[in-house]
Amino acid sequence: AYSNKAVSAVMAGVMVFGGASAVFADTAATTPTSTTTQSVGIFSDVKTGFWAEKHIYKLASQGIVVGNNGLFRPGDSVTQQEAVLMALRFMKLQDKVDASSAVALPTDFKVTNYYKDYVVLAFQQGLLDKATEMAPDNLKTSWGERKASREWIAELLIRSLGKSADAAGAASEPTGFADDTKVSANKRGYINVAVNLGLANGLDGNRFDPQGAVTRAQLATFFSRAEAHNTVEYDNTISGTISQLADGKLSVYNNGKTSTYTLGASTAYYTSASESRINLSDVQPYTKVTVIGATYNAAYVEVTDPTQQVETLSGNFAMVAPGNKLWLKSPTGFTEYYYDETTSFVDVNGAGIEPASLITDSVVSLQRETYSGSHKVVKVQVTSGVVNKTTTGTIQSVDLTGKSITFKNTAGTVETFKWEDGTSLFSSQASVLKPADLKTGNAVKYTIQDNVIRTVEVTEGVERTVDGVLTELTSSTVVYKKADGNREVKLLGTKPTIVIPNMSGAVADDLIADAVGGDKIQVTLNSSDQVTKIEVLSRQIEQYSGAAVIDYNSKTQLLTVMDTSNKAHVVQLDEKTKLSYEGVLPNLTSIGARLTENRKVNIKAIGQRALSLEVVTKYEGTVTSINVAARTIVMKLNDGQSLTLPTPQFIDIFGKTNPTVTDVPVGSYVTASLTANQDLIAVLKVKSVLQVEAETVNSGTNRLSIKWNGGTSEINTYAIPMTNEAGESIKLTALKAGDYLNVTFDGSTPLAIQAIKLTTGQVSSVDTAANSLVVKDFAGATQTLAVSGGVKIIRDGSTTTALSNLTTGDRVEIRKDTDGSTIVRVMSQLSRTFSRYESATNLLSTKRANLNDKYQFFV
C-alpha cells in the first residue's frame, strides 16, 4: 500500500476508470459512448472520509475517471489497459483515437477490444515503448488484462508527464530502496524521477515492492497529485482567486476574466494541504482556489493557498464623495480610494453600516485586493473613533513589539490600544510593572486618552516575574539585586518551585546566594507578592570537571588542581563547601586523604572559594562525538562541561551482545564508571527507553517476560518502580500479557517500568486542525485523544506521519510511543463467508477459498 499522504509508496495512486472486468464491464466494451463522467458524491462505495476520496472525486469531476452503476471499486487492482486509458485522459489525448480505422496489433499482443484503439494511440504518442511492451517474455499472458505493477505505473506516469528524458538520465542511479535488486533495469530511471518529484515513497523497511499491484484508489491519488507537474489545461477546471463568495455563488478571477459558479449540496470542498474534506464556511474570499465543474456548477473546490490576497492599511477617515470615492487623511492632504457595490462597510463590532455613517477622524481599516492590479477596496471597517475612557476588563494579549494591548472589557467587547514609552504607567498594588509583567487573563482597570493607553492597573490574579542576582536565601525569605541596583526582599510561598538547568529535583539548597557571584535568577511572584518559583538563568561560578589534584594543604585548606586544558587553579575549602565521595559526605578532616596527586575531582567555585568538591568515580552526560581512530569519546556532562576520555573497556547496552563503541549512538545519555586510578572508563552504560510487549506476568515470583523486535528477556521487578501512563504507582498484578510497556534501562539493567494505555476502537472523527481524533471503543464509550506530540499511522505495513491519513470508520489500536508521539495501528480488514461459531471456545470459522486460507478466528 502506498502512503496516501506523500503519494506514499510509489503509487499512491489514482484511478478509477474502468475495465472490461470493472468499470466498463461488457456493456462499456460494446457501447463506450454510453459511459458518462460521474459527478461528485455518486460513488456509493467511496464513503465520506475514505482516504482517497478527495482525489477520486477530483478526477471524476474532470472526467478523467468514470464509474459504472454508481460504483468506483477503489480496492480493485488496475490492469495495464485500464491504466493506459487513464493516462490518455490525464494527457487529454483520448479524443485523438480514430475508432473508424482498423486497428492492427500483433496476434500475441492481447488487449480487450474496447481498449485496442487507446493502446495503439498510446504507442503512437510515446506513452508506451513498443520494444519493451512487445518483447516475447512480456507476451506470455494477456498484456491488457495483466495487473499493473508499481514500477510499470511509475514509468507510465513519468511518460505521461513528458519526463522520459529525465528518467533516461537517472537510469544508472540506484533507487536507494532495500529491494533495489528486484527493480527492472529499464524501470529504475522512472522510479528515481517519481521519487525526486515527490510522487513516490517507499514502504516500511525502505522497500519499493516494484512488482506489487496498484489499486484504483491508489492510482487515482497518484494521477491527481501528478497534476501539479502537468501543463494540460482541462476544459472544466479553472484556477484563480475568489473575488466574491456569497448567496450560494463563488466567483473566480483569472487573468482578467471572472467566472461565477453555483455551489450546491453536492459540492465538495478541500485544501491542497490535506486529504480531509472541509466545509464551505472554511473557504474564505480572496484566497486562491481550483474549481472544477461543468456549466458553471461547482462540483469540486480546492483551496490551494489560504492566504487572503489582500493588503490592509489604516488611517483617519475624511469623507466619502460621489463616484464611489473614499478619502483618508494623510500628512500631505488626502489620499483617494475607490470602492463599488460589493465593498462591505462594518463598524468596530463587525455589524454592517452605510458609507455615509462614517464619522470624520474615526480610525478605519481598509482591505484592498492584490490579485487583479486594480487594488479595489473590498472592506472598510471602523477600528475606533477618538476614545477617552476609564474601564475594567481582562487582558487578552500583549504585543511587546507593536507596543499594544488587547483587552476584553466588561461588556464583552475586544479592543486593542497602543501605549507610549514614558507616558503610559503599568502597576499592581504598590509596584510599578513593565509591559512584559502583564499576563493574559489579568483583571485590570485601564485608562485610554486620545486612543492611547495611559494607565493599566492590575486589580487581581497577577503573576509577574522579576530578574536579579540572588544575594541571600533563608527558609522564609529571598533577597535579590535587580538590574537597576536596588535590592528586594520577598517572602517565600509554600513549597516554591526551584528550577536549575541540567539538574532534576532541584531544591533551595542547590541555589547559590552570594553578594558577588550569586545565581542570576528569575523570580515568579503571585498576587500576594510571594515567591512561587525561582529559576536559575545563569551561574557566575567557575566549574572544573575532571580536574587533576596537584596538591592539597590540610592546614590552609588550599587545593591546587590542573583542569583538562592544563591550566592550574587554586581554591580554598571551608566548612560550607559541599564534599562528596561515592555518595558519602566526608568532612574537611577526612577528605584530605582522598585528595592525593592526580586524583580527579569536580569543583564549583566563586573566585577562590570552593562551593562544592566531588571526588570523581563516574561521569554522567551525553555523548557528543566518538573518534574511533583516536580511541576517544567526548561527553557533555550534566553541568554543561565537555570532557574527552579514552574509549571504554566495556560497553553495556540492552539488547546488544558484545557491543563496541560504534554501537553507542551520538546523543545518547550514558554513565561512565571509572577504573580505580580514574584514568580509564571501566564500563560505559547507555541509558535507553524501549517499548516492549509483556509476554508473561508472574506476580508470585515478581517475574515479567517481555518481547520486542530484538528478542525476549525476563525482568525481576521486585525493586523496580512501576507506574501507569499517568505516573501513578502500580503493582505487577496490574499488568497482563499483551500490555505495552516503556522500560528504562541503564545499560542492560532495568531501572523503571511504565505501563502504556492501549485504546482500541473505531475512529468517529478526525480534527487535523486541533491534532485530535475521537474514538469509540468496542464497549460504546467515546473519548477524544490529542496527538500534539506527533503521530505515526501504520496501515498495511506502511507508516505515515499525517493525521489526515486516518478516516472515519477505521478500526484502530492507539498508544503512546517512547518519544511521546502517538502510534495508531489501523487494523487490516478481511472479507470472509461465515461458516459457524463455537460459543464454548469463542472460535469463529469461515469458508475457505483455498487450502492455505486463514479461516479460523478467536473472538
Side-chain angles (χ1 to χ4, degrees):
Y2 300 106
S3 156
N4 58 342
K5 173 67 177 172
V7 183
S8 43
V10 185
M11 312 305 83
V14 20
M15 246 277 6
V16 180
F17 27 89
S21 61
V23 173
F24 294 109
D26 293 336
T27 56
T30 56
T31 57
T33 56
S34 66
T35 301
T36 58
T37 299
Q38 306 295 340
S39 62
V40 170
I42 62 86
F43 295 128
S44 61
D45 56 351
V46 180
K47 305 298 184 184
T48 298
F50 179 65
W51 66 266
E53 176 193 23
K54 166 184 176 180
H55 305 288
I56 292 170
Y57 287 146
K58 174 184 176 183
L59 269 66
S61 301
Q62 292 173 319
I64 296 176
V65 301
V66 297
N68 176 256
N69 295 328
L71 296 177
F72 175 72
R73 298 178 181 173
D76 286 1
S77 297
V78 175
T79 64
Q80 292 187 160
Q81 60 191 13
E82 290 172 339
V84 166
L85 177 53
M86 177 69 170
L88 289 172
R89 289 173 177 159
F90 174 75
M91 299 168 70
K92 205 177 175 182
L93 295 175
Q94 73 274 23
D95 292 338
K96 291 185 177 291
V97 167
D98 185 0
S100 63
S101 63
V103 176
L105 288 172
T107 56
D108 52 356
F109 189 84
K110 296 180 180 179
V111 177
T112 303
N113 286 337
Y114 174 74
Y115 293 99
K116 284 185 178 180
D117 294 332
Y118 296 105
V119 172
V120 169
L121 178 62
F123 279 117
Q124 294 170 346
Q125 296 293 329
L127 187 60
L128 297 175
D129 179 68
K130 183 176 181 181
T132 299
E133 303 302 333
M134 294 188 180
D137 289 343
N138 210 14
L139 302 177
K140 294 179 180 179
T141 59
S142 173
W143 183 92
E145 296 176 302
R146 185 181 306 144
K147 292 181 179 179
S149 68
R150 299 174 191 268
E151 64 174 13
W152 190 89
I153 289 293
E155 176 180 4
L156 185 73
L157 182 69
I158 297 306
R159 284 180 176 272
S160 69
L161 289 172
K163 296 185 181 294
S164 297
D166 295 345
S172 61
E173 298 294 329
T175 63
F177 294 107
D179 54 357
D180 180 70
T181 56
K182 297 181 181 180
V183 175
S184 300
N186 62 349
K187 301 291 190 291
R188 185 166 281 110
Y190 297 99
I191 293 174
N192 283 331
V193 175
V195 171
N196 291 337
L197 292 177
L199 301 177
N201 290 329
L203 301 172
D204 279 355
N206 190 33
R207 296 178 301 108
F208 184 77
D209 191 17
Q211 308 306 323
V214 178
T215 67
R216 299 179 187 278
Q218 291 168 346
L219 194 54
T221 305
F222 200 18
F223 273 98
S224 171
R225 288 173 173 159
E227 285 191 7
H229 305 279
N230 195 2
T231 58
V232 174
E233 294 183 1
Y234 300 102
D235 296 335
N236 63 344
T237 302
I238 187 171
S239 296
T241 303
I242 299 176
S243 59
Q244 191 171 4
L245 179 60
D247 302 325
K249 301 284 186 180
L250 181 148
S251 298
V252 179
Y253 177 88
N254 175 264
N255 292 329
K257 179 182 178 182
T258 298
S259 302
T260 300
Y261 293 85
T262 299
L263 304 176
S266 63
T267 305
Y269 305 94
Y270 292 91
T271 70
S272 58
S274 173
E275 309 296 309
S276 302
R277 281 200 188 209
I278 61 174
N279 298 317
L280 172 59
S281 59
D282 298 318
V283 181
Q284 299 299 316
Y286 320 119
T287 57
K288 294 182 179 180
V289 293
T290 293
V291 181
I292 305 172
T295 63
Y296 294 103
N297 289 306
Y300 178 94
V301 178
E302 180 178 315
V303 179
T304 56
D305 185 350
T307 304
Q308 291 187 298
Q309 307 299 302
V310 295
E311 61 182 0
T312 302
L313 49 92
S314 62
N316 291 90
F317 172 72
M319 63 177 293
V320 291
N324 291 343
K325 298 176 182 178
L326 181 149
W327 289 342
L328 298 185
K329 292 182 179 180
S330 70
T332 57
F334 301 94
T335 304
E336 187 175 77
Y337 303 92
Y338 292 90
Y339 63 93
D340 61 19
E341 67 280 356
T342 64
T343 304
S344 63
F345 289 79
V346 296
D347 63 14
V348 290
N349 296 314
I353 58 175
E354 293 297 323
S357 66
L358 292 172
I359 300 173
T360 302
D361 282 331
S362 60
V363 180
V364 297
S365 173
L366 304 186
Q367 281 190 351
R368 299 197 302 172
E369 54 88 1
T370 59
Y371 55 84
S372 71
S374 63
H375 295 284
K376 185 194 76 172
V377 175
V378 297
K379 183 177 181 180
V380 179
Q381 180 165 22
V382 178
T383 55
S384 70
V386 179
V387 178
N388 293 288
K389 67 177 181 179
T390 297
T391 188
T392 59
T394 57
I395 292 178
Q396 300 293 291
S397 64
V398 179
D399 183 353
L400 297 177
T401 303
K403 296 183 179 180
S404 67
I405 301 175
T406 299
F407 304 94
K408 185 176 183 179
N409 63 28
T410 50
T413 303
V414 176
E415 51 191 5
T416 302
F417 298 97
K418 291 181 175 292
W419 76 77
E420 294 178 347
D421 291 336
T423 62
S424 300
L425 177 64
F426 308 94
S427 63
S428 172
Q429 298 178 6
S431 301
V432 175
L433 304 181
K434 297 180 295 184
D437 295 328
L438 299 174
K439 305 296 182 184
T440 298
N442 285 162
V444 294
K445 177 180 179 182
Y446 57 100
T447 298
I448 309 299
Q449 183 177 353
D450 293 334
N451 295 335
V452 176
I453 298 171
R454 294 307 174 194
T455 64
V456 176
E457 179 186 357
V458 178
T459 56
E460 64 178 66
V462 65
E463 181 179 87
R464 61 190 181 96
T465 57
V466 183
D467 294 351
V469 175
L470 182 60
T471 58
E472 298 178 40
L473 182 66
T474 70
S475 60
S476 60
T477 61
V478 58
V479 183
Y480 52 86
K481 183 170 63 176
K482 298 193 297 183
D484 59 9
N486 293 324
R487 293 171 71 253
E488 283 192 349
V489 181
K490 299 294 181 182
L491 289 174
L492 289 172
T494 304
K495 294 182 179 180
T497 302
I498 309 298
V499 178
I500 301 176
N502 301 313
M503 183 181 295
S504 59
V507 296
D509 286 345
D510 295 316
L511 296 169
I512 298 172
D514 188 84
V516 177
D519 286 336
K520 292 183 178 179
I521 60 173
Q522 183 177 83
V523 175
T524 301
L525 303 169
N526 62 17
S527 57
S528 300
D529 235 23
Q530 292 181 329
V531 177
T532 60
K533 179 181 178 181
I534 301 175
E535 181 177 0
V536 175
L537 303 178
S538 64
R539 307 201 114 162
Q540 305 181 71
I541 61 174
E542 299 291 340
Q543 301 183 89
Y544 311 119
S545 297
V549 173
I550 297 175
D551 178 66
Y552 175 65
N553 188 314
S554 59
K555 293 182 179 180
T556 62
Q557 282 87 48
L558 289 173
L559 173 66
T560 306
V561 297
M562 183 80 73
D563 66 21
T564 54
S565 300
N566 295 323
K567 184 178 179 181
H569 305 275
V570 178
V571 296
Q572 187 169 33
L573 311 184
D574 57 31
E575 65 280 355
K576 293 184 179 180
T577 304
K578 294 181 181 179
L579 306 174
S580 175
Y581 175 73
E582 289 188 336
V584 178
L585 301 177
N587 53 37
L588 279 174
T589 303
S590 61
I591 194 66
R594 304 291 182 186
L595 300 179
T596 57
E597 186 176 0
N598 291 324
R599 176 70 70 179
K600 300 292 193 306
V601 294
N602 295 332
I603 299 173
K604 294 180 181 178
I606 295 178
Q608 191 171 296
R609 178 163 64 89
L611 299 173
S612 67
L613 180 143
E614 177 188 16
V615 179
V616 176
T617 58
K618 63 181 179 181
Y619 295 112
E620 294 185 7
T622 304
V623 175
T624 57
S625 67
I626 297 173
N627 190 323
V628 178
R631 300 178 62 82
T632 59
I633 182 171
V634 180
M635 291 175 57
K636 184 177 182 180
L637 306 184
N638 292 336
D639 60 9
Q641 302 293 305
S642 288
L643 200 61
T644 302
L645 298 167
T647 53
Q649 296 176 344
F650 298 100
I651 296 173
D652 187 8
I653 305 175
F654 177 76
K656 288 281 187 180
T657 303
N658 300 320
T660 65
V661 71
T662 56
D663 293 316
V664 179
V666 172
S668 55
Y669 191 85
V670 298
T671 300
S673 299
L674 303 180
T675 56
N677 58 9
Q678 299 177 304
D679 58 345
L680 296 174
I681 300 176
V683 180
L684 185 75
K685 293 185 176 183
V686 178
K687 188 173 183 180
S688 60
V689 180
L690 188 67
Q691 189 160 104
V692 303
E693 185 178 345
E695 189 171 38
T696 61
V697 179
N698 191 330
S699 57
T701 61
N702 295 309
R703 298 285 176 174
L704 172 66
S705 178
I706 61 174
K707 62 180 179 180
W708 72 103
N709 57 11
T712 61
S713 182
E714 188 174 75
I715 298 176
N716 185 342
T717 65
Y718 179 74
I720 299 177
M722 288 185 287
T723 60
N724 59 18
E725 195 169 87
E728 301 165 336
S729 295
I730 60 173
K731 295 182 178 180
L732 186 59
T733 52
L735 304 181
K736 64 182 183 301
D739 284 349
Y740 285 96
L741 312 169
N742 285 346
V743 183
T744 302
F745 293 93
D746 186 22
S748 56
T749 303
L751 298 179
I753 298 173
Q754 181 185 40
I756 301 302
K757 180 183 177 183
L758 182 67
T759 300
T760 306
Q762 184 175 9
V763 176
S764 298
S765 64
V766 178
D767 189 339
T768 55
N771 280 327
S772 66
L773 67 155
V774 177
V775 176
K776 184 177 183 181
D777 65 27
F778 298 129
T782 299
Q783 54 184 304
T784 301
L785 303 174
V787 295
S788 55
V791 65
K792 302 169 187 173
I793 311 294
I794 302 174
R795 185 194 297 269
D796 297 330
S798 179
T799 300
T800 56
T801 57
L803 192 60
S804 58
N805 290 334
L806 281 178
T807 58
T808 302
D810 279 342
R811 266 75 170 181
V812 294
E813 284 185 349
I814 304 174
R815 68 183 191 273
K816 289 288 188 180
D817 204 354
T818 55
D819 60 2
S821 63
T822 300
I823 298 176
V824 182
R825 185 175 72 85
V826 181
M827 300 180 192
S828 58
Q829 298 185 16
L830 300 177
S831 179
R832 294 288 190 269
T833 301
F834 175 76
S835 175
R836 64 186 182 277
Y837 177 68
E838 299 173 14
S839 59
T841 59
N842 294 331
L843 184 65
L844 174 72
S845 296
T846 62
K847 294 183 178 181
R848 287 184 171 185
N850 55 67
L851 289 177
N852 297 320
D853 197 6
K854 177 177 173 63
Y855 72 102
Q856 289 186 321
F857 305 88
F858 283 101
V859 179

